[in-house]
């Protein structure tokens, strides 16, 4: 079986790593990087750490408006598909690279398989929600991480080809925990002069929080008012927005560049609490047993909220501060994302599908 995998942004490197390695064991994988993320710390470092192979193609599309970025990807992906003629195209998550991969393949009548299908925030103002809904509609195989995701698809009349397989991010997390040695963990905390469970880890990058100065200032005001040290690795789009605001961080801040996967994992594991608008970090916090405040009004990972380990605080200064002061989850953490074998399950479904259809 010849599979062409499309990746382009940081979370996709994390999701693709376990499956790519398995695919290469017995099949032919062509890896296409759209170049949506191009900074070393948002791209290359993940390939090195997670053992992803060098991409066979890098389209180097870079940044731009949604239309321009997606259009450049479409043109580039189509060209590669015509040349490589894969049996199936594999796309991950909900970025512009996901949608471009799915659309280019569907128009050439190449079956699309979507990893992390069925997630919904039910808010079409989010670029990721548009990408998810359209990609799911175009996919022949839909790999759902949770039963909620499978239910969401059924509610939209998409049942055929949908499978609940668990979350590939669990596979990567388990490997990451094996790789991050105790020595590496202590060295990182020492370097940042932090003790376990005595600091907060914050990340922020969603367009709704960064592109409008109001929620951004409100979130930053809360961060600055907190008493504990805050570790804040800053995504490039957020860095630009913060600079434009002229915000000054208090001295207890550890303002960092975007972190490699293992460093981020270590800092998550040892934090007292995580504040984030990232989907991946809400899940990782839950898996690691670290309380999470989500800086959004809704989440796709509703199970983490229902279990009592994730609290939606939005961007309001007071709600964030109150959450930091009083949120203390105690409930049991049910495993709802599978046990780390999602990539094995996906591989066997892909094999059955291609045997039947080719
Ligand atoms: C994208 C995804 C988002 C995902 C996130 C992970 C979409 C619509 N959004 O958002 O779902 O959670 O990746 O990070 O696909 N930039 C750099 N260097 C880079 C990449 C980007 O400086 O390597 C800057 C550029 O100025 C760019 C901005 O970041 O304009 C936004 O980048 P883009 O890839 O468009 O979206 P993300 O915010 O990263």
């Amino acid at each position: 079986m010849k599979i062409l995998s499309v990746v382009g942004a940081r979370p996709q490197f994390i999701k693709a790593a376990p499956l790519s390695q398995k695919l290469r064991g017995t099949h032919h994988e062509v890896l296409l990087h759209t170049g949506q993320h191009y900074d070393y710390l948002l791209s290359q470092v993940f390939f090195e750490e997670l053992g992803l192979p060098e991409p066979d193609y890098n389209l180097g599309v870079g940044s731009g408006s949604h239309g321009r970025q997606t259009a450049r990807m479409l043109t580039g992906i189509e060209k590669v598909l015509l040349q490589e003629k894969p049996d199936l195209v594999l796309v991950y998550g909900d970025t512009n690279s996901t949608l471009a991969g799915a659309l280019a393949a569907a128009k050439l009548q190449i079956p699309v398989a979507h990893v992390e299908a069925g997630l919904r925030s039910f808010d079409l103002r989010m670029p990721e929600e548009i990408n998810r809904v359209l990609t799911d509609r175009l996919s022949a195989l839909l790999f759902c991480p949770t039963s909620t995701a499978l239910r969401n698809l059924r509610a939209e009349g998409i049942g055929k080809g949908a499978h609940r397989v668990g979350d590939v991010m669990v596979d990567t997390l388990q490997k990451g925990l094996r790789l991050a040695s105790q020595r590496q963990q202590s060295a990182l905390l020492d370097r940042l002069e932090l003790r376990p469970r005595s600091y907060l880890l914050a990340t922020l990058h969603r367009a709704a929080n960064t592109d409008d100065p109001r929620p951004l200032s409100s979130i930053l005001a809360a961060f600055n008012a907190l008493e504990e040290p805050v570790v804040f690795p800053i995504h490039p789009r957020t860095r630009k927005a913060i600079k434009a605001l002229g915000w000054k961080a208090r001295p207890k801040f550890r303002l960092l560049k975007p972190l490699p996967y293992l460093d981020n994992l270590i800092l998550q594991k040892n934090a007292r609490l995580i504040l984030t608008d990232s989907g991946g970090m809400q899940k990782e916090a839950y898996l690691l047993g670290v309380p999470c405040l989500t800086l959004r009004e809704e989440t796709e990972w509703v199970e983490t909220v229902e279990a009592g380990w994730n609290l939606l605080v939005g961007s309001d200064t007071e709600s964030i501060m109150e959450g930091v002061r009083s949120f203390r989850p105690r409930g049991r953490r049910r495993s709802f994302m599978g046990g780390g074998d999602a990539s094995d399950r996906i591989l066997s479904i892909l094999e059955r599908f291609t045997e039947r259809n080719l």
Side-chain angles (χ1 to χ4, degrees):
M1 144 172 95
K2 181 173 180 181
I3 296 218
L4 188 133
S5 306
V6 178
V7 293
R10 177 169 62 178
Q12 287 158 339
F13 312 137
I14 297 169
K15 289 167 196 166
L19 187 52
S20 172
Q21 271 162 358
K22 290 192 176 127
L23 271 174
R24 281 172 189 243
T26 36
H27 301 281
H28 180 185
E29 186 199 38
V30 178
L31 188 63
L32 183 152
H33 187 334
T34 62
Q36 176 171 353
H37 285 177
Y38 43 89
D39 285 350
Y40 175 78
L41 286 174
L42 289 190
S43 175
Q44 183 67 26
V45 71
F46 292 88
F47 283 75
E48 292 165 10
E49 272 193 326
L50 300 173
L52 258 177
E54 275 288 303
D56 300 284
Y57 295 90
N58 191 326
L59 304 180
V61 300
S63 306
S65 67
H66 284 273
R68 187 181 153 85
Q69 190 182 53
T70 314
R72 293 180 71 188
M73 291 175 190
L74 260 180
T75 322
I77 296 170
E78 184 180 64
K79 202 164 147 206
V80 174
L81 292 179
L82 289 169
Q83 204 173 309
E84 291 286 346
K85 300 187 176 37
D87 299 320
L88 185 135
V89 167
L90 197 53
V91 296
Y92 292 87
D94 57 14
T95 73
N96 291 342
S97 301
T98 316
L99 176 62
L103 191 50
K107 293 259 179 152
L108 293 173
Q109 285 163 35
I110 302 170
V112 177
H114 183 204
V115 178
E116 210 181 67
L119 293 190
R120 296 291 181 266
S121 64
F122 303 102
D123 177 3
L124 274 172
R125 286 170 306 178
M126 266 182 99
E128 292 86 355
E129 183 76 356
I130 300 173
N131 294 340
R132 290 177 199 131
V133 170
L134 296 178
T135 301
D136 285 341
R137 188 66 191 79
L138 297 173
S139 297
L141 284 173
L142 302 103
F143 297 118
C144 300
T146 63
S147 48
T148 307
L150 192 62
R151 260 202 314 279
N152 289 340
L153 290 179
R154 298 241 160 92
E156 290 174 21
I158 307 174
K160 199 164 161 267
H163 304 264
R164 181 189 168 191
V165 292
D167 197 319
V168 284
M169 282 185 74
V170 180
D171 304 21
T172 308
L173 182 91
Q174 289 180 351
K175 182 176 174 190
L177 289 174
R178 284 194 299 274
L179 289 176
S181 67
Q182 200 51 51
R183 219 181 65 217
Q184 195 180 355
Q185 301 197 28
S186 329
L188 179 62
L189 295 182
D190 287 350
R191 199 163 75 237
L192 295 169
E193 297 179 15
L194 296 168
R195 279 177 301 105
R197 306 271 169 244
S198 65
Y199 65 90
L200 313 174
L201 176 66
T203 77
L204 196 64
H205 76 278
R206 291 277 168 200
N209 281 333
T210 57
D211 293 4
D212 179 350
R214 267 172 314 178
L216 182 60
S217 331
S218 170
I219 293 169
L220 294 174
F223 286 2
N224 247 351
L226 300 172
E227 275 157 29
E228 287 159 282
V230 181
V231 182
F232 189 16
I234 311 185
H235 188 287
R237 76 180 299 152
T238 314
R239 185 172 289 276
K240 276 184 222 155
I242 290 180
K243 206 163 158 213
L245 275 185
W247 181 70
K248 289 273 171 299
R250 295 254 180 92
K252 64 179 183 302
F253 264 87
R254 314 288 196 276
L255 293 182
L256 308 176
K257 293 190 174 145
L259 290 169
Y261 182 75
L262 291 183
D263 283 359
N264 195 47
L265 191 56
I266 294 168
L267 287 178
Q268 287 188 88
K269 187 171 162 235
N270 291 287
R272 180 182 76 74
L273 183 112
I274 291 172
L275 297 117
T276 190
D277 60 5
S278 146
M281 285 194 35
Q282 292 172 54
K283 290 190 276 183
E284 286 165 347
Y286 183 84
L287 292 164
L288 295 166
V290 178
C292 181
L293 298 184
T294 293
L295 306 164
R296 289 177 52 195
E297 304 294 341
E298 80 284 300
T299 179
E300 300 77 24
W301 305 101
V302 285
E303 296 86 347
T304 59
V305 175
E306 284 159 9
W309 280 80
N310 186 6
L311 185 68
L312 299 172
V313 290
S315 57
D316 177 63
T317 309
E318 232 345 280
S319 315
I320 298 170
M321 289 173 60
E322 179 52 30
V324 170
R325 275 194 296 267
S326 61
F327 185 51
R328 299 280 183 278
R330 287 188 217 293
R332 204 169 66 85
R333 284 177 298 118
R334 186 176 61 82
S335 124
F336 68 91
M337 296 175 241
D341 58 356
S343 46
D344 285 324
R345 285 164 179 250
I346 292 173
L347 181 59
S348 48
I349 296 169
L350 287 174
E351 285 171 345
R352 284 207 305 274
F353 178 85
T354 45
E355 268 164 31
R356 255 201 331 268
N357 291 279
L358 302 176

